[in-house]
Amino acid sequence: PLPSPPRCPRPSEAIFGILRDLGGPGGRSVPLPHALQVLGARGFTPAQVGAALDEYEGLNVLQVNPARTQITFV
């Protein structure tokens, strides 16, 4: 039998990894419109991105400002 492919991360894990990459080394924040553009180009839906942001905000890993224009890593 063929070996099973490596487990795909949950969408929110993949999204968080991409956001971290966008922040760059020591990056503290990412403009949300830019993040949505990049994530959309990689096939993530706005709903998946929103769910990931909510999840990681709840974990106090990142924060989205009230105007929803900036993601800041905590």
Side-chain angles (χ1 to χ4, degrees):
L2 293 171
S4 58
R7 184 180 81 82
C8 274
R10 294 178 306 114
S12 57
E13 289 174 27
I15 288 167
F16 182 73
I18 294 167
L19 291 174
R20 269 303 208 201
D21 290 346
L22 289 176
R28 298 297 305 149
S29 65
V30 177
L32 184 55
H34 176 64
L36 289 171
Q37 190 177 25
V38 170
L39 292 163
R42 298 207 187 174
F44 293 103
T45 66
Q48 286 175 316
V49 175
L53 292 175
D54 289 346
E55 178 180 339
Y56 284 99
E57 258 189 311
L59 295 170
N60 285 324
V61 176
L62 57 78
Q63 293 175 329
V64 181
N65 67 340
R68 312 276 305 166
T69 58
Q70 197 77 16
I71 301 164
T72 304
F73 295 101
V74 180

